[in-house]
Amino acid sequence: MFEVITLASGSEGNSTLVRNHTASFLIDAGLSAKQLTARLLAVGLCPEQLSGILLTHEHGDHTSALKVILTRHQVPIFCNFLTGRALQDFGLVHGDWRFFHTGSEFWIGSFAIRAFSVPHDAVDPVGFRISCDGSCFGVLTDLGYATRLVFEALRGVRAMLIETNHDEALLQNDFR
């Protein structure tokens, strides 16, 4: 049995806590470090207790707390190589990168996590299939549309977090 708590979802920032008795980790850290810390404390967890932070992609509404959180706490960052490279190019220096290959499975505590490609305007965006003790949970952020791969990756999950406020026209207007 595990618990999923949405700390924030939307254009202002995204972060979800997943935890059980063996591990506690965030999926994305897109709030200010102050807000993220306050929301973690509200659910009884300090940032230094995190087993890691999983990143779906490099955009600020998914990563904005990282720089401050990582200067204050030793927390591993789990992401694919291209997302990590993009963040490093943006100036995020961190010593505990845990790179995974998109399509592969890795573990945090008793959680088996499989990353899969999703369509989005980032360097290598992913969704996650998280399994633990016979239960499966899917995470999709900024999903413009679901591909066959997305459907296959999430076949049989018991629950999903889907954040789909991605709007191509709105993005284009923001860059003008």
Side-chain angles (χ1 to χ4, degrees), residues 8 123 126 138 157 165:
V123 294
V126 297
V157 299
N165 68 349

Side-chain angles (χ1 to χ4, degrees), residues 2-6 16-19 27 111 130 137 139 159 161:
F2 60 92
E3 180 178 29
V4 177
I5 301 169
T6 300
T16 300
L17 173 66
V18 179
R19 68 180 173 184
I27 301 169
F111 291 95
I130 301 167
F137 178 70
V139 176
L161 170 69

